[in-house]
Amino acid sequence: MTISVDTPKETFRLSQLLYDTRYRSLTIQVIAFILLMLSLSWLVSNTVQNLQDLGKDFNFGFLSQPAGYDINQRIIDYTSQSSHGRAAMVGILNTLLVAFLGCTVATVIGVLVGVLRLSKNWVVSRLMAVYVEGFRNVPLLLWIIMIFAIMSEAMPQPRDFREGGTASMLLGDSMAITNRGIFIPKPIWHDGSTILGAVFLLSLVGIWAFRRYAHKRQEQTGDILPVLWVSLGLFFVPTILFYFLLGRPVTLEYPELGGFNFQGGIQVRNSLIALWFALSLYTGAFIAEIVRSGILAVSKGQTEAAFALGLRPNRTMNLVILPQAMRVIIPPLISQYLNLTKNSSLAIAVGYMDVRATLGGITINQTGRELEGMLLLGLFYLTASLVISSVMNVYNNRMKLKER
Amino acid sequence: MKKTILLGALTVAGLAATAASASTLDDVRARGKLNCGVTTGLAGFAAPDANGVWQGFDVDMCRAVAAAVFGDPMAVEFVPTTGQTRFTALASGEVDMLARNTTWTFSRDVDLKFEFAGTNYYDGQGFMVPKALGVTSAKDLDGATVCIQTGTTTELNLADFFRANNISYEPVPIETNAEGLQQYGAGACDAYTTDASGLAASRATFENPGDHIVLPEIISKEPLAPLVRHGDNQWGDVVRWTLNAMITAEELGVTSANVRELAAAAGDNPEVNRLLGTEGELGAMLGLSADWAVNAIAAGGNYGESFERNIGSSTPIGLARGLNALWTNGGLLYSPPFR
């Protein structure tokens, strides 16, 4: 007996594109793709057309033209005769500076506050809650402007520091807080300072090597070496020893009142202070919550098990809780770092000369290259964000739970 | 970042907007009002009064153009712009013209693709310092902290001046005149620099104007001029000849008080007749009504009236006519003839 299997002939009708679930999603994707491409091409052709109507071309030649304006905070050499490209670079470095300072301080504040908010001390935990809620729920711009206003309105003017004035310098005449910023001593590097730097770097390497050795030894023999004291010793002793052996190759230049203002030293400008602290306090509040959630995410059983093994509370925190909490903390922390970097463009409120103010502000204004300038600016923030997030991802992968 | 997005969006929106426009004059007519870019507030030049109505020398320029187009000086929407946003606002079509203490320079005219409609105020950059500082010359300002509006020609002049004199300074960039005065008032900067007219206007708003002096040095030429976009010559002509009408009116003795009377019938002076449309077809050539200049002059008066009312010696700002007197009085104001 033979069974004839009647295979139905595959036919394809157009309506299947819409009604057949095998094809539908593909159809929708193709249509969406075409629409996206059409709107993109419309945007580009419209821009090109309008640039033509305005009689403007599209080129980046302006970057090599002399800028003509001065920038107060320069990390690299810059004069008004330097190019617009150089001015953009000064701005980029200023953005990166405030982003780096902000991320560092925000992390310190965030970790401290996050841990303290879990404190059993009612007053401390409430105080931290007030800080977190206060800073998280008020717009960042207001904090920036408020700190700037306090600095410029409430601090003494440089001339108040003159003889018989109302203000005086702090810390043995080495630091002055004025309404133009804070003046601090500046290190001057003489001959031999490179040797000193090398010694310092070597002692850092030494600390790292010692910690590795101590860790290995503990795993093998169970002996615990005094890591902290040896590290501290390695950190300070060789550098200080060489400082005197080389005949003090680094001296400090103190700010001194002269003419209109303090001369010498480093001026930390109001605009930087306002931006730095507002960004740190604001982002720190978010990081505190991230840290708290990370710690709470580690089950209580872990702590109890650690105590049962006889670990002391601080070792429990360092060896058991934090390593596990880090896995929860790091991913949202990355996005806070990115937020802080992008929020630094609020510098516009206080005249901090970041890349938005140089390339995206004065340069665009003087050259009329809005499109090119904005594209470059967008490209910079994109690159900076991607670099930060990839570096943090590397760190995240190292901290991640390793499954064996 | 918010500002960046805003500027970007403005550029894109503006690019999209200009694609559709035929001529600015038609657009303004269709809209029923003139969009005029002014400062965010500078006493005497453009600032809202107690009732929220914009008043000032630059505002009069906008009102005169609106009056020439619509016969109604109030058909103006004032758009406050900062030194940084003004050119984007104009290039993108957000405003039809700028009357905003803007210096006429080569690169703005040629490279930024704007058209300047003639100088309405001859100015120069100066410095204001507190008297207590004991400074008598700008060259004494070595090491001083100077507040400056960012995105302006003054920023470039300042850099040039200090470099040429080989003295140093610390620039404090600020966004608007109000912010600059706040910083200056708090002593966060030793000196404030902008156009001398702006300094006089700002000084007049201080509690004790006598405590501050404007230094004698004028370090630049700042011909301030209303401007429009490049490429629409008809609209450029409307703005240019409205300004010329105000200047010519002063020269011919036509004022806001007597302009209606003089325009009622053709008089003895053929130039007055041509200006006021009782003779010839000048209005029609511009694409405006025959009484365009009458309306423009009736709106804020002739150039001299507007000057005296807003910034002249009888006002708290107290600027002398100086270079801005008519050529017949030894100044630089000289309008081409209406013919």
Side-chain angles (χ1 to χ4, degrees):
Chain A
M1 200 173 117
T2 55
I3 302 166
S4 73
V5 180
D6 210 17
T7 49
K9 209 176 140 208
E10 279 281 324
T11 53
F12 182 79
R13 294 182 309 279
L14 265 181
S15 61
Q16 271 183 297
L17 283 178
L18 202 56
Y19 295 113
D20 192 326
T21 47
R22 282 174 297 173
Y23 303 115
R24 193 192 289 150
S25 67
L26 197 67
T27 316
I28 293 172
Q29 285 179 50
V30 167
I31 292 174
F33 181 74
I34 291 173
L35 284 180
L36 184 73
M37 283 297 129
L38 277 179
S39 52
L40 265 183
S41 72
W42 175 81
L43 204 64
V44 170
S45 74
N46 192 48
T47 309
V48 170
Q49 174 66 38
N50 282 300
L51 280 177
Q52 239 163 35
D53 288 353
L54 283 170
K56 284 186 173 179
D57 57 349
F58 185 82
N59 78 58
F60 291 94
F62 69 97
L63 287 175
S64 56
Q65 302 292 319
Y69 57 88
D70 282 308
I71 299 176
N72 50 15
Q73 181 180 305
R74 312 171 284 264
I75 297 176
I76 51 174
D77 282 338
Y78 171 87
T79 67
S80 58
Q81 294 304 291
S82 308
S83 66
H84 281 296
R86 185 92 180 165
M89 194 48 78
V90 173
I92 284 175
L93 288 174
N94 283 346
T95 294
L96 293 179
L97 174 74
V98 78
F100 173 76
L101 292 175
C103 285
T104 313
V105 175
T107 310
V108 171
I109 294 177
V111 171
L112 278 180
V113 173
V115 172
L116 287 181
R117 213 186 155 182
L118 291 170
S119 160
K120 291 198 178 70
N121 185 323
W122 188 85
V123 176
V124 170
S125 70
R126 285 302 98 184
L127 271 179
M128 294 304 130
V130 167
Y131 158 72
V132 167
E133 297 308 332
F135 273 88
R136 220 166 45 145
N137 296 310
V138 173
L140 174 57
L141 187 59
L142 293 188
W143 289 119
I144 295 178
I145 293 175
M146 199 173 93
I147 297 179
F148 188 67
I150 290 174
M151 286 302 295
S152 60
E153 298 282 349
M155 298 300 155
Q157 297 188 25
R159 64 163 168 262
D160 294 336
F161 286 83
R162 294 226 175 85
E163 296 280 322
T166 49
S168 57
M169 293 173 74
L170 307 171
L171 301 177
D173 279 0
S174 65
M175 184 174 143
I177 301 175
T178 74
N179 66 347
R180 291 166 195 185
I182 297 176
F183 292 83
I184 53 172
K186 176 179 168 185
I188 304 285
W189 309 96
H190 302 287
D191 293 343
S193 57
T194 37
I195 302 174
L196 194 68
V199 167
F200 181 67
L201 281 181
L202 276 178
S203 58
L204 286 186
V205 171
I207 292 173
W208 176 77
F210 178 74
R211 297 188 93 113
R212 241 177 106 94
Y213 165 73
H215 190 74
K216 214 168 167 185
R217 199 181 133 119
Q218 190 190 348
E219 295 219 319
Q220 281 168 357
T221 66
D223 290 348
I224 298 175
L225 292 170
V227 175
L228 180 70
W229 294 112
V230 175
S231 299
L232 277 179
L234 276 175
F235 190 86
F236 286 110
V237 174
T239 312
I240 292 175
L241 205 66
F242 269 82
Y243 176 74
F244 288 107
L245 279 180
L246 290 167
R248 306 186 183 206
V250 182
T251 53
L252 289 178
E253 180 191 274
Y254 291 100
E256 264 176 53
L257 192 61
F260 292 98
N261 210 343
F262 280 93
Q263 312 286 338
I266 297 174
Q267 180 183 5
V268 187
R269 288 176 182 76
N270 275 349
S271 50
L272 173 62
I273 293 169
L275 198 61
W276 176 12
F277 284 103
L279 282 171
S280 307
L281 289 169
Y282 179 80
T283 312
F286 285 91
I287 294 179
E289 287 298 88
I290 292 170
V291 169
R292 186 169 72 108
S293 73
I295 293 173
L296 288 179
V298 180
S299 93
K300 187 102 174 59
Q302 297 280 328
T303 321
E304 286 164 355
F307 285 166
L309 287 173
L311 286 180
R312 276 166 284 158
N314 62 340
R315 282 189 173 268
T316 307
M317 186 52 111
N318 284 336
L319 299 172
V320 179
I321 310 288
L322 274 183
Q324 298 185 73
M326 283 310 252
R327 294 174 196 139
V328 181
I329 292 173
I330 292 170
L333 191 64
I334 300 175
S335 86
Q336 288 305 324
Y337 285 171
L338 297 185
N339 275 350
L340 191 146
T341 308
K342 288 177 287 174
N343 282 341
S344 72
S345 60
L346 285 171
I348 189 171
V350 288
Y352 180 74
M353 296 301 273
D354 69 338
V355 66
R356 213 270 345 140
T358 58
L359 172 67
I362 306 174
T363 293
I364 282 186
N365 204 270
Q366 305 289 7
T367 60
R369 300 279 172 191
E370 292 96 348
L371 193 62
E372 292 92 330
M374 283 300 161
L375 284 178
L376 281 180
L377 200 58
L379 193 69
F380 162 71
Y381 280 111
L382 183 70
T383 316
S385 295
L386 289 179
V387 167
I388 292 172
S389 87
S390 62
V391 168
M392 290 301 289
N393 276 331
V394 169
Y395 182 58
N396 189 30
N397 282 336
R398 289 190 49 185
M399 296 300 290
K400 217 160 61 177
L401 189 64
K402 304 231 174 22
E403 292 182 26
R404 295 187 180 93
Chain B
M1 201 63 203
K2 282 187 182 108
K3 192 81 170 203
T4 314
I5 292 168
L6 180 73
L7 284 176
L10 279 180
T11 317
V12 172
L15 287 169
T18 44
S21 68
S23 88
T24 313
L25 184 57
D26 293 342
D27 284 352
V28 172
R29 281 221 176 93
R31 199 188 306 129
K33 63 178 196 248
L34 172 76
N35 289 340
C36 195
V38 289
T39 72
T40 50
L42 177 61
F45 284 87
D49 65 10
N51 302 320
V53 181
W54 284 82
Q55 301 287 353
F57 186 66
D58 282 336
V59 167
D60 279 355
M61 185 67 223
C62 300
R63 294 212 189 280
V65 173
V69 175
F70 299 113
D72 174 12
M74 302 311 278
V76 189
E77 171 92 19
F78 290 99
V79 180
T81 55
T82 68
Q84 288 204 35
T85 59
R86 56 183 162 178
F87 296 130
T88 316
L90 180 61
S92 67
E94 192 191 350
V95 297
D96 304 309
M97 62 177 283
L98 271 183
R100 196 209 167 277
N101 318 76
T102 301
T103 307
W104 186 353
T105 69
F106 180 93
S107 61
R108 286 172 177 177
D109 196 337
V110 177
D111 191 36
L112 266 62
K113 309 291 181 198
F114 294 125
E115 189 164 328
F116 288 82
T119 307
N120 73 340
Y121 190 94
Y122 290 92
D123 210 339
Q125 182 179 347
F127 296 90
M128 176 166 63
V129 292
K131 228 174 209 165
L133 214 55
V135 171
T136 52
S137 155
K139 288 178 183 152
D140 297 342
L141 287 173
D142 191 7
T145 306
V146 182
C147 274
I148 175 137
Q149 287 185 53
T150 184
T152 58
T153 48
T154 46
E155 196 166 38
L156 306 180
N157 298 331
L158 185 71
D160 286 350
F161 174 78
F162 278 86
R163 189 168 55 86
N165 286 294
N166 205 14
I167 48 181
S168 67
Y169 73 109
E170 155 98 11
V172 175
I174 43 106
E175 201 52 17
T176 63
N177 192 50
E179 265 175 61
L181 294 180
Q182 189 248 330
Q183 290 287 303
Y184 175 75
C189 36
D190 298 307
Y192 182 46
T193 180
T194 186
D195 297 338
S197 64
L199 290 180
S202 303
R203 185 168 165 264
T205 63
F206 287 157
E207 224 165 284
N208 298 312
D211 291 350
H212 303 269
I213 52 166
V214 176
L215 296 178
E217 282 92 346
I218 297 295
I219 65 168
S220 67
K221 289 192 290 187
E222 308 280 341
L224 307 182
L227 61 155
V228 298
R229 277 183 297 282
H230 214 88
D232 188 345
N233 293 346
Q234 188 196 12
W235 179 244
D237 287 343
V238 168
V239 177
R240 173 175 299 109
W241 286 95
T242 304
L243 173 61
N244 284 337
M246 288 170 74
I247 297 172
T248 307
E250 185 186 6
E251 195 179 327
L252 298 174
V254 179
T255 65
S256 55
N258 68 10
V259 64
R260 296 280 176 208
E261 190 186 323
L262 287 170
D268 306 333
N269 188 336
E271 177 122 28
V272 174
N273 293 345
R274 282 193 298 271
L275 175 67
L276 301 183
T278 50
E279 190 183 312
E281 294 280 308
L282 295 188
M285 290 178 205
L286 265 182
L288 300 173
S289 62
D291 61 351
W292 66 280
V294 179
N295 294 330
I297 295 162
N302 62 35
Y303 182 91
E305 286 178 87
S306 174
F307 192 102
E308 286 306 328
R309 192 178 61 248
N310 294 305
I311 51 180
S313 42
S314 61
T315 64
I317 296 162
L319 290 169
R321 282 296 285 271
L323 289 176
N324 297 294
L326 289 176
W327 64 286
T328 47
N329 299 332
L332 289 175
L333 287 188
Y334 185 104
S335 160
F338 277 74
R339 156 175 312 283

